[in-house]
Structure formats: C-alpha cells, structure tokens
C-alpha cells in the first residue's frame, strides 16, 4: 500500500500499488481499486499521498463492471493480449489463432467474483474465482463459447477469459469485444488463420 513513499486511498481504504513511475513527462501510479469500493457517479474519492502528505484528490465514477481488454499496438492497430491455449504463446499477426481454438484473453473490470479475495493478494488456482455476471465475447460479430471467466490465478486484480473461437470465422484481423449487462469493452483486433 506504500511504494516509493506514495500511497493511494480510495474512500479511505489504502489501495495496493503496482507501479509509481514517471512516463512520457507525467507521473503515473497504477493501483488496484479495492473490491469494496461503492459504485455510482463520483462515488470513488481517490486521494494520493506523498510522504504522508495529501498531494492530489479526485472524485471519479465507480462501476460494478466496466470491461476492458488488455491490448498492445502493432501496425497501427490495438491487438488483444491473448494466448494460445495449447502453448501459452502470445497470439500475433505472425502467430495467429486458429478457428475452433481455445484461447486465453486478459481483461479488467469484470466485476465481483464468487469468493472473497483480499485486496492486493493473487487469485487462487483451486478453487478458481469465477465472475458472478455472465459475459459474451464476440469475434467478427460471432459469439465465442466461454469456458472460464474470472480472476487470473496468481495475479492481483487481473481477469482472464478462456474461450473457444467459432469454427466458421473468416481469416484475418478480426474485431473482438466483451459484452455485459452493464457495459461493453472497447474493440480490439485478434489475428485468426
């Protein structure tokens, strides 16, 4: 909860911090929003402390779910951070997924899970921490078959979705997104062969 003498409180609860950095001319703090944070417009009071002194405060919206797919940029497009289910290698334009393949997609903002996970601790692998809400993942407008949706075992605050790609997908760089009852993710690209 303290890194490089910096701490972040969300509604008075100290948040686990992953990174404190100076990047592209700006200070950056990456932290996990505590699971118990209330939801609503301007419901999260975020306070930043440096050496115990309040240096910034902002009120932001807080949602039960706000799916996002981790992505990397290549060839001017945002590609999904997704792994082949067979060898756990990154799916890229040079190493695309196959139709009917099971892949692992890394995400954020999928909301509550079916077991208590203390803030800042890695998710368990047995039993898994499954998301409570149902999600859909579409690839080129088709629904993929979800096999798992929950916290990635061993990681803090990282979600993963294991899914089987439809057998009849076209080949190429296909648009993918997560759809939920409350919000939809951004579109990202998945290379399929």
């Amino acid at each position: 909860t303290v890194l490089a003498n910096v701490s972040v409180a969300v509604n008075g609860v100290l948040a686990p911090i992953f990174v404190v950095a100076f990047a592209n001319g700006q200070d950056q703090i990456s932290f996990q929003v505590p699971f118990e944070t209330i939801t609503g417009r301007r419901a999260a009071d975020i306070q930043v402390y440096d050496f115990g002194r309040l240096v910034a405060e902002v009120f932001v919206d807080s949602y039960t779910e706000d799916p996002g797919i981790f992505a990397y940029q290549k060839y001017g497009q945002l590609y999904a951070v997704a792994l082949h289910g067979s060898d756990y290698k990154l799916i890229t334009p040079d190493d695309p997924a196959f139709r009917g393949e099971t892949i692992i997609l890394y995400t954020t903002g999928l909301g509550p899970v079916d077991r208590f996970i203390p803030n800042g601790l890695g998710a368990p692998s047995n039993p898994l921490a499954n998301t409570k809400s149902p999600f859909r993942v579409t690839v080129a407008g088709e629904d993929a078959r979800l096999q798992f949706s929950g916290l990635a075992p061993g990681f803090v605050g990282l979600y993963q979705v294991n899914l089987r790609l439809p057998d009849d997908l076209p080949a190429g760089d296909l648009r993918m997104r997560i759809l939920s009852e409350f919000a939809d993710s951004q579109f990202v690209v998945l290379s399929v062969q």
Side-chain angles (χ1 to χ4, degrees):
T1 57
V2 178
L3 183 62
N5 296 304
V6 172
S7 59
V8 177
V10 180
N11 294 342
V13 176
L14 288 176
I17 299 175
F18 302 110
V19 175
V20 174
F22 187 75
N24 299 322
Q26 295 185 355
D27 291 321
Q28 174 183 316
I29 303 170
S30 296
F31 63 93
Q32 179 190 15
V33 176
F35 285 111
E36 62 269 22
T37 302
I38 60 172
T39 59
R41 290 192 44 72
R42 296 181 44 86
D45 177 13
I46 299 174
Q47 297 177 321
V48 179
Y49 295 88
D50 187 21
F51 287 94
R53 184 176 57 87
L54 180 66
V55 293
E57 182 174 22
V58 63
F59 288 84
V60 299
D61 299 342
S62 175
Y63 300 103
T64 301
E65 297 167 10
D66 193 9
I69 299 173
F70 287 103
Y72 65 95
Q73 189 159 6
K74 188 170 186 172
Y75 307 128
Q77 297 194 80
L78 287 177
Y79 286 87
V81 174
L83 306 180
H84 292 280
S86 59
D87 60 11
Y88 304 106
K89 290 183 180 175
L90 183 67
I91 296 170
T92 67
D94 298 324
D95 188 9
F98 293 93
R99 297 172 190 97
E101 179 181 3
T102 296
I103 67 169
I104 301 163
L105 180 66
Y106 288 102
T107 71
T108 187
L110 298 186
V113 294
D114 61 1
R115 64 195 70 262
F116 173 73
I117 308 294
N119 295 318
L121 293 184
S125 58
N126 188 15
L128 293 170
N130 298 282
T131 56
K132 289 183 177 181
S133 294
F135 294 92
R136 292 176 43 223
V137 176
T138 62
V139 182
E142 286 191 60
D143 282 344
R145 191 173 84 223
L146 269 59
Q147 298 172 336
F148 169 71
S149 172
L151 290 172
F155 289 90
V156 177
L158 176 68
Y159 291 85
Q160 82 177 51
V161 177
N162 297 7
L163 56 99
R164 185 177 184 281
L165 296 173
D167 293 322
D168 60 350
L169 286 175
D173 286 347
L174 307 179
R175 288 170 42 111
M176 163 187 260
R177 77 186 309 189
I178 297 173
L179 302 145
S180 83
E181 180 182 344
F182 299 103
D184 299 336
S185 75
Q186 83 280 28
F187 279 104
V188 294
V189 174
L190 180 73
S191 294
V192 176
Q193 178 172 302

